[in-house]
Amino acid sequence: MACACVRVWARARACVCVLSVQTSCCTGNCWLQQGKNGRCQVLYMPGMSREECCRSGRLGTSWTEEDVPNSTLFRWMIFNGGAPNCIPCKETCDNVDCGPGKRCKMNRRSKPRCVCAPDCTNITWKGPVCGSDGKTYKDECALLKAKCKGHPDLDVQYQGKCKKTCRDVLCPGSSTCVVDQTNSAYCVTCNRICPEVTSPEQYLCGNDGIVYASACHLRRATCLLGRSIGVAYEGKCIKAKSCEDIQCSGGKKCLWDARMSRGRCSLCDESCPESRTGEAVCASDNASYPSECAMKKAACSLGVLLEVKHSGSCNSQLKQAEKDLGREELA
């Protein structure tokens, strides 16, 4: 037996099922998810029965039976946080397929939810790993969980904690260790062959004052050197007397390197999060900054190039040197 739709008039128009052998069950609206507020959100398709809507077995799919005009649906979605009387397709974890790296789990409100649960049984290295985002994870399993939670491009770069030097970094396969402009060690694949340059617009001036035929040529030089060169500005290097001689593109600002008498185009619109303990750096102007980001903002404000000399405040190493000297004198 099936049921037919009979429209009853109360506070809202609703579709009520009555027994019938001729017609299919009531149609309503199919939604892709049920929000934390209990309302249906993200309309998938109107005019679907609950059976049709729930056929996919997708965990978030929900259904509403109200037969309301589009204007009401629009008002619900924009002003009310979704549609009321939301009926989730899945009330338990039975037959729920969350996809690779996830499993279904009932939450505190007795609702089924897909949670990250990567298979870590085949991981042999149990120590910390350095991720492609430059962050250290306590192990590869923790990295896989972070990847599942919204970082699909995250991968293991190398085993061990992320380092500031290529010393003791063992890169997998044919990749090579390179220290980038933030003094962090990364594993990259070197491209040994670069295509011929077809346009003078491809020329780049490197931070080392050398002209590179293209971005590919600069990356190749970086790989061979084992240290990031970086782009000072587009085009061939010029003998600039100040930043006034250099034109920066892409919203960048010229910062002057007084030590090398060169200019460098840098992005200056970065907003800094609140600094945490242990993020302080000593910069090339021998001043301490609460973080590297704060140093870069100061550089942009001053119009001068600042680089990290070492981690920690500038007087931290001086105090350590004084302590060491005191020990030597006592000995």
Side-chain angles (χ1 to χ4, degrees):
M1 279 189 184
C3 58
C5 293
V6 175
R7 198 165 282 166
V8 293
W9 294 90
R11 293 183 182 177
R13 288 183 292 165
C15 182
V16 178
C17 288
V18 295
L19 290 176
S20 170
V21 292
Q22 284 115 356
T23 54
S24 59
C25 190
C26 303
T27 58
N29 297 305
C30 191
W31 305 79
L32 291 178
Q33 65 185 43
Q34 183 183 38
K36 290 183 179 179
N37 59 6
R39 289 175 172 257
C40 280
Q41 298 172 347
V42 189
L43 181 64
Y44 172 62
M45 190 177 293
M48 291 185 77
S49 68
R50 186 180 178 189
E51 183 183 10
E52 291 172 324
C53 178
C54 297
R55 192 172 290 157
S56 68
R58 188 177 178 273
L59 181 59
T61 308
S62 301
W63 185 77
T64 53
E65 65 178 3
E66 281 86 359
D67 179 18
V68 295
N70 289 338
S71 58
T72 303
L73 282 175
F74 179 80
R75 190 173 69 251
W76 281 345
M77 287 187 282
I78 300 300
F79 301 109
N80 298 90
N85 305 320
C86 187
I87 306 170
C89 286
K90 291 288 185 181
E91 293 285 2
T92 68
C93 281
D94 293 344
N95 301 318
V96 171
D97 181 12
C98 290
K102 293 184 178 182
R103 65 180 175 87
C104 184
K105 183 180 179 182
M106 301 299 288
N107 66 10
R108 293 177 181 176
R109 293 181 296 168
S110 297
K111 296 288 183 182
R113 289 289 180 264
C114 285
V115 297
C116 291
D119 182 8
C120 302
T121 54
N122 294 325
I123 295 174
T124 55
W125 173 259
K126 302 300 181 182
V129 294
C130 181
S132 52
D133 57 352
K135 295 179 180 178
T136 298
Y137 294 85
K138 67 175 185 178
D139 52 38
E140 190 173 343
C141 196
L143 182 143
L144 291 174
K145 286 181 181 177
K147 182 173 183 172
C148 168
K149 289 180 178 178
H151 302 280
D153 297 327
L154 182 62
D155 289 304
V156 175
Q157 281 204 98
Y158 49 85
Q159 294 174 349
K161 294 180 179 180
C162 292
K163 297 179 173 61
K164 294 290 184 181
T165 172
C166 281
R167 189 184 309 143
D168 300 327
V169 172
L170 184 62
C171 291
S174 59
S175 57
T176 304
C177 182
V178 171
V179 177
D180 71 357
Q181 287 174 278
T182 65
N183 294 318
S184 297
Y186 283 89
C187 289
V188 299
T189 302
C190 293
N191 189 0
R192 304 289 179 180
I193 302 173
C194 290
E196 279 188 44
V197 177
T198 57
S199 169
E201 294 178 357
Q202 292 179 262
Y203 284 109
L204 297 171
C205 179
N207 288 338
D208 55 359
I210 297 174
V211 178
Y212 294 91
S214 69
C216 177
H217 288 82
L218 188 144
R219 286 195 298 270
R220 185 177 67 181
T222 291
C223 273
L224 295 173
L225 185 64
R227 177 174 51 82
S228 176
I229 296 169
V231 179
Y233 48 85
E234 295 176 358
K236 292 185 176 181
C237 299
I238 60 173
K239 291 183 178 180
K241 294 180 180 179
S242 69
C243 272
E244 293 181 4
D245 299 327
I246 298 171
Q247 288 187 337
C248 294
S249 61
K252 293 181 179 181
K253 179 180 179 180
C254 178
L255 304 180
W256 189 253
D257 183 353
R259 185 174 63 88
M260 302 299 294
S261 295
R262 288 199 291 255
R264 182 184 300 182
C265 294
S266 302
L267 282 171
C268 284
D269 59 353
E270 185 179 3
S271 58
C272 296
E274 189 175 339
S275 301
R276 294 179 294 181
T277 305
E279 289 186 334
V281 295
C282 179
S284 50
D285 62 348
N286 293 317
S288 300
Y289 295 90
S291 67
E292 190 171 340
C293 183
M295 179 199 74
K296 289 178 180 177
K297 285 193 76 70
C300 287
S301 177
L302 297 169
V304 297
L305 180 69
L306 294 177
E307 294 180 315
V308 177
K309 282 180 70 177
H310 59 77
S311 300
S313 62
C314 291
N315 60 2
S316 61
Q317 288 202 353
L318 180 62
K319 287 180 180 178
Q320 185 61 44
E322 289 173 352
K323 285 181 181 178
D324 293 342
L325 183 62
R327 290 193 194 99
E328 288 176 3
E329 288 175 349
L330 288 172

